[in-house]
Amino acid sequence: MRKLISICILLVVIIIIFPSMALSAGDSQREEARVHAQKAGEYIKENNWSSALDEAKKAVKADSKYPEGHLLLGIIYVKIGELDNAEKELKSAMDLNPDMAEAYTYMGKVYYYRDKLDKALEYYKKAVAKGNQEVLAYQDMGHIYYQKSRQIFNSSGNKTEANEKMSLAVDCYKKALKIDPKNSELHNFLGAAYYYTGKTGNALGEYEQAIELDKKNASAYSNIGEYYFREKKDFVKATEAYKTAIDLYTKELSGKSGFNQKEIKAKQLELALCHYGLGYIYNVQGKASPAIEQFNKVLKLDPNNAEAYVGLASSFELTGDKQKAAEYFKKALKLATEQNNTALKNALEAKLKKMGVN
């Protein structure tokens, strides 16, 4: 997601710098707006969002009827997390040019960041109906169907319905890749969707393609770790992949990468999944102490991770501390109930009953 947003911003900048519509030689306001927009584009390339914002504001001030200026300003607001301002500017862009597909894409992103997925989906569908090059729209539509699939499975265990949504995610990622076939993140997303439809061999191929295109794709390494752990029971390869992912995520989060708060949180959750994977492997290997260390790292990044409490409980079972194990199983059950994770809730209730714990 983080790379695609930058790519799409640059595509919009190119449109602004080389507009398809002819400018009147005497239209000084439009020309001034275009110059400021061009400067904003240069600042975006440098990851200087503050200066980009200033120049985009000047572009809109110079010509309030310049739709590309409102679009650019809206995109910048999305990037820095000012979603109300983003919505206002993107609405202005759409009013001035109803056929501007990019404005609908980023309005979708506004609602996506607000976790209003159905509303986001509406705008993404409008975007792809207006322009067939909307990579970000297809990508985020894939994300939404992916999330819906996992939510359905966790809440009801209905594999058929969940797979139907995941198949829609696969279709969206494929459409995005048709436009941008060398996009590492998209190959990784497609691999993850394949994995949950049971096409694990296809999944591994997409993960490997993602890494071939970008050796720093932390998420792809994490997914490879899951593949070798769950599908092949190859703990050596799985551990190596997870550790590589952890190193890459840690470097990204410690550096000044220009991520907004939503993106930082997403990366932290991805890092937490890597620690969880390692902890799970250590548990399977009977290594309780390093497992506990990993699960505690998960909870530091994601305090409401029910599965991490399950992992901790299992680790303490390995040490023979039944009281501590029961304590963590109960915490996991409480979170699973609150999160409507019916499958985990039922499994934990059965586990506690077997342990003789009320």
Side-chain angles (χ1 to χ4, degrees):
M1 183 186 303
R2 51 195 178 275
K3 290 194 173 183
L4 277 172
I5 195 169
S6 299
I7 291 168
C8 292
I9 287 172
L10 293 180
L11 288 175
V12 172
V13 170
I14 291 171
I15 292 170
I16 293 169
I17 296 173
F18 304 107
S20 57
M21 56 187 294
L23 297 181
S24 169
D27 193 348
S28 59
Q29 290 178 323
R30 181 58 54 90
E31 179 61 20
E32 182 182 353
R34 191 189 69 80
V35 169
H36 284 300
Q38 183 173 4
K39 289 180 180 178
E42 293 302 318
Y43 282 124
I44 287 173
K45 292 176 185 177
E46 298 169 4
N47 217 24
N48 185 341
W49 294 96
S50 176
S51 297
L53 179 62
D54 289 341
E55 289 297 333
K57 285 180 177 178
K58 290 176 182 177
V60 170
K61 185 177 181 180
D63 185 352
S64 62
K65 295 188 181 300
Y66 183 42
E68 287 86 351
H70 287 285
L71 172 62
L72 180 58
L73 184 54
I75 291 172
I76 293 170
Y77 277 133
V78 169
K79 178 63 182 179
I80 64 178
E82 294 187 20
L83 300 182
D84 289 343
N85 286 334
E87 183 176 9
K88 177 184 175 182
E89 296 301 328
L90 293 168
K91 179 67 166 55
S92 294
M94 288 187 284
D95 288 342
L96 290 165
N97 183 357
D99 293 323
M100 185 178 283
E102 297 91 341
Y104 293 91
T105 292
Y106 281 92
M107 189 67 87
K109 178 65 80 175
V110 167
Y111 284 101
Y112 182 79
Y113 278 157
R114 288 173 174 163
D115 293 322
K116 295 183 178 180
L117 302 186
D118 290 332
K119 191 71 173 177
L121 204 54
E122 287 180 23
Y123 277 103
Y124 289 137
K125 287 180 178 179
K126 289 178 181 179
V128 299
K130 291 178 179 294
N132 60 7
Q133 297 296 309
E134 291 306 292
V135 176
L136 182 60
Y138 280 122
Q139 173 206 270
D140 281 0
M141 287 171 68
H143 289 345
I144 290 169
Y145 289 127
Y146 182 99
Q147 289 180 50
K148 286 179 177 291
S149 172
R150 300 304 296 155
Q151 288 168 359
I152 289 167
F153 182 76
N154 287 338
S155 62
S156 68
N158 189 327
K159 286 187 177 182
T160 300
E161 188 179 355
N163 281 342
E164 286 175 358
K165 293 294 184 185
M166 196 62 79
S167 293
L168 291 174
V170 168
D171 184 58
C172 288
Y173 292 141
K174 283 183 175 180
K175 287 178 179 177
L177 276 168
K178 190 173 181 180
I179 302 167
D180 188 8
K182 293 187 178 181
N183 190 298
S184 174
E185 290 287 2
L186 282 172
H187 282 287
N188 183 48
F189 296 144
L190 178 57
Y194 273 140
Y195 187 86
Y196 283 109
T197 58
K199 298 179 180 178
T200 56
N202 289 353
L204 180 62
E206 294 297 332
Y207 299 151
E208 290 175 339
Q209 179 69 14
I211 290 172
E212 184 177 333
L213 291 165
D214 180 7
K215 297 295 190 294
K216 294 183 179 180
N217 191 327
S219 181
Y221 281 107
S222 175
N223 286 333
I224 285 176
E226 181 176 15
Y227 171 84
Y228 278 112
F229 170 54
R230 296 190 184 279
E231 302 302 319
K232 299 297 182 182
K233 303 297 184 289
D234 188 331
F235 298 153
V236 174
K237 285 186 178 180
T239 298
E240 180 183 352
Y242 278 132
K243 286 184 175 179
T244 300
I246 288 169
D247 182 58
L248 289 170
Y249 276 130
T250 302
K251 286 178 180 177
E252 286 185 25
L253 287 166
S254 63
K256 296 180 179 179
S257 302
F259 301 124
N260 62 37
Q261 289 303 308
K262 283 277 187 180
E263 291 168 330
I264 290 171
K265 181 61 178 176
K267 280 182 172 291
Q268 289 174 333
L269 292 177
E270 290 168 0
L271 175 57
L273 286 175
C274 296
H275 285 298
Y276 175 82
L278 269 185
Y280 206 120
I281 288 173
Y282 289 139
N283 263 352
V284 171
Q285 294 176 321
K287 300 176 181 178
S289 181
I292 290 169
E293 181 182 355
Q294 294 300 319
F295 291 128
N296 279 327
K297 287 180 179 180
V298 174
L299 291 170
K300 186 175 181 180
L301 292 162
D302 184 13
N304 293 319
N305 191 312
E307 287 83 358
Y309 280 110
V310 174
L312 275 175
S314 299
S315 298
F316 282 106
E317 274 194 310
L318 287 174
T319 67
D321 191 336
K322 303 296 184 182
Q323 183 177 350
K324 202 74 172 176
E327 175 188 338
Y328 284 119
F329 277 131
K330 284 182 178 180
K331 287 184 178 181
L333 176 58
K334 182 174 182 294
L335 286 170
T337 303
E338 292 171 354
Q339 294 164 4
N340 196 31
N341 190 335
T342 305
L344 182 58
K345 175 178 176 291
N346 292 341
L348 286 167
E349 286 176 341
K351 175 66 177 178
L352 287 167
K353 183 178 181 180
K354 186 176 181 180
M355 293 174 69
V357 178
N358 295 324

